[in-house]
Amino acid sequence: MTIITNAGKKLITHAIINKLDLFISKVVYADCNLDTLDENTASLTNIKYENLPTSVRIDEFDNSKIILEAVLRNDTAQDFFINCVGFVAKNRELLCFTKIKRTPVLSKATDTNASLFHYKLAMELKHASELSIKIDETIVYPTLAHFNTSQKAQDELIAKLGLDKVNISDFTASQNLQDDKIKTLENTKADKAALNNYYTKTETYTKAEIDKKDTDKYNALNNTKADKTTTYTKAEVDNSQTTQNTTISTNHTSVLNQLALQNTQMSKLMTQCQNLLTKIELGGGKVGMIFMYAGATIPSNYMLCDGRELLKTAYPQLFSAIGTIYGESADKLKFKIPDLRGRFVRCVGGNAAALGVSQGDAIRNITASIFASYPIFTKGVGAFVKTNGKGDDLAQGGSRVGNGNSYVDFNASRVVPTANENRPINMSMNFIIQIKE
């Protein structure tokens, strides 16, 4: 069963939404406590071996599955057990893993024919066809396990992969084989005193010449030379080897140059990603957009909406976005940003003022009337109160003065909270404007 980690789910979702490639950098093989492994696992413990995946592809029979493949051959000097195989993304986060039966993996020191293990994992995703998942090609990944001892097989593999993907260390097995062939050739020539004269010459040997000396030695020499009827000298072998070493060195230099270029490009991409993440964390967007910010310290690339004046030449992006809608200095060199301190914001249209125009406070008109008849008004209700014109509340027992006339006052604080402004229930926040990308 393949388990996709929570970190892996985030990586997959981010890659699909933003149409980005998801790179896998390595495969890890571990012998760990399986009972502790679940979707929250960040990394595998007790890792015994790691290498690169061999392929990543969509299942040809089910496009809702992504097939991940890896090959393991223990080329270390130690034997070990494994019970878990995991695939790690390029940012070193564990993408997915699978639990397997605890298996012994013998080294070449224990078993010269060390077994080759092939693992294939399937990740089932709802949008698998929309995910672009690749092997990290910044790493040159042909290794000794890809080469056998046949020179012909090596040549075919090099032609198939292209020399620009082959590392110079990958030729070690083939080089050892070729060195053994040269030693065999040298020993064959050195064993016979009669052949020493030929060994120091540039002439080649013919079958007839060698037959006269030793038929068995001829057969060994002829087989070494790939069944040719004419052999070649040590000098010719050395020249061929020098040419091959030069080709390998040239291609190795080419690979290093490509890696350096890819590292430079990767650094630029990482910088762009970091800038994008910073925007996402701050809710960033276009220059000129305004956000509510709960903190007291204004983040970089933002400014408090306090109506200050800014030089047009210092903030060309912001000036291009808002112009002089919110004001301009007398010398025309500066423009103003919105001043939202102590103000509520409303959308343009309806009864709102034009864009950037401040609108004073107001309430809808309140009208009222009193109809008096005999007996005259004796008691106030709600915001109405009966007074003597001097603030004394006659409805609460205040005394009459003069001729006994009474007044009717209107006082809204008798029924609702009042202040020196009109406002709903509110909370203060910092309004900040984005001034740069």
Side-chain angles (χ1 to χ4, degrees), residues 43 76 126-127 227 257 390 432:
S43 60
T76 70
K126 184 176 181 181
H127 301 284
D227 297 328
N257 291 337
K390 297 182 179 181
I432 59 176

Side-chain angles (χ1 to χ4, degrees), residues 393-413:
D393 189 347
L394 299 182
Q396 303 298 326
S399 60
R400 295 191 178 199
V401 296
N403 58 9
N405 292 334
S406 61
Y407 297 83
V408 178
D409 291 346
F410 181 87
N411 189 349
S413 66

Side-chain angles (χ1 to χ4, degrees), residues 109-148:
T110 303
D111 182 4
T112 56
N113 296 318
S115 299
L116 190 70
F117 296 89
H118 179 204
Y119 296 100
K120 182 166 69 173
L121 283 67
M123 288 198 308
E124 187 167 2
L125 302 173
K126 184 176 181 181
H127 301 284
S129 61
E130 299 178 23
L131 176 62
S132 175
I133 185 168
K134 297 180 179 179
I135 298 173
D136 184 2
E137 294 182 352
T138 62
I139 303 173
V140 182
Y141 50 81
T143 65
L144 290 177
H146 295 96
F147 294 87
N148 56 34

Side-chain angles (χ1 to χ4, degrees), residues 135-277:
I135 298 173
D136 184 2
E137 294 182 352
T138 62
I139 303 173
V140 182
Y141 50 81
T143 65
L144 290 177
H146 295 96
F147 294 87
N148 56 34
T149 57
S150 167
Q151 183 66 47
K152 180 179 178 181
Q154 177 184 318
D155 292 340
E156 290 175 350
L157 183 58
I158 293 174
K160 180 178 180 180
L161 293 178
L163 286 174
D164 60 332
K165 291 187 179 180
V166 182
N167 191 291
I168 190 170
S169 63
D170 298 327
F171 288 86
T172 303
S174 174
Q175 185 64 55
N176 291 339
L177 177 63
Q178 186 168 11
D179 290 343
D180 291 339
K181 290 181 180 180
I182 293 175
K183 290 179 181 178
T184 301
L185 177 60
E186 291 175 340
N187 291 335
T188 301
K189 292 179 178 179
D191 285 344
K192 292 293 183 177
L195 292 178
N196 282 341
N197 292 333
Y198 288 99
Y199 180 72
T200 58
K201 296 179 181 180
T202 58
E203 298 92 351
T204 59
Y205 308 117
T206 66
K207 182 179 184 301
E209 290 172 329
I210 299 178
D211 278 343
K212 292 178 182 180
K213 303 299 180 181
D214 194 320
T215 302
D216 292 338
K217 292 294 183 180
Y218 160 74
N219 290 335
L221 179 61
N222 199 36
N223 289 337
T224 302
K225 296 300 182 180
D227 297 328
K228 292 184 177 180
T229 57
T230 57
T231 61
Y232 44 85
T233 65
K234 181 177 183 297
E236 292 172 328
V237 174
D238 288 341
N239 290 337
S240 176
Q241 184 61 50
T242 300
T243 301
Q244 182 178 2
N245 289 343
T246 301
T247 301
I248 293 172
S249 178
T250 300
N251 291 324
H252 179 59
T253 301
S254 176
V255 171
L256 291 178
N257 291 337
Q258 291 182 15
L259 288 176
L261 178 60
Q262 289 174 347
N263 286 336
T264 300
Q265 294 173 341
M266 186 58 63
S267 296
K268 292 181 180 178
L269 179 60
M270 291 179 66
T271 300
Q272 293 173 352
C273 290
Q274 185 60 49
N275 292 338
L276 179 60
L277 289 175

Side-chain angles (χ1 to χ4, degrees), residues 276-294:
L276 179 60
L277 289 175
T278 301
K279 283 187 177 182
I280 293 174
E281 291 171 358
L282 295 175
K286 298 288 186 180
V287 172
M289 293 185 69
I290 293 177
F291 305 91
M292 285 187 291
Y293 186 66

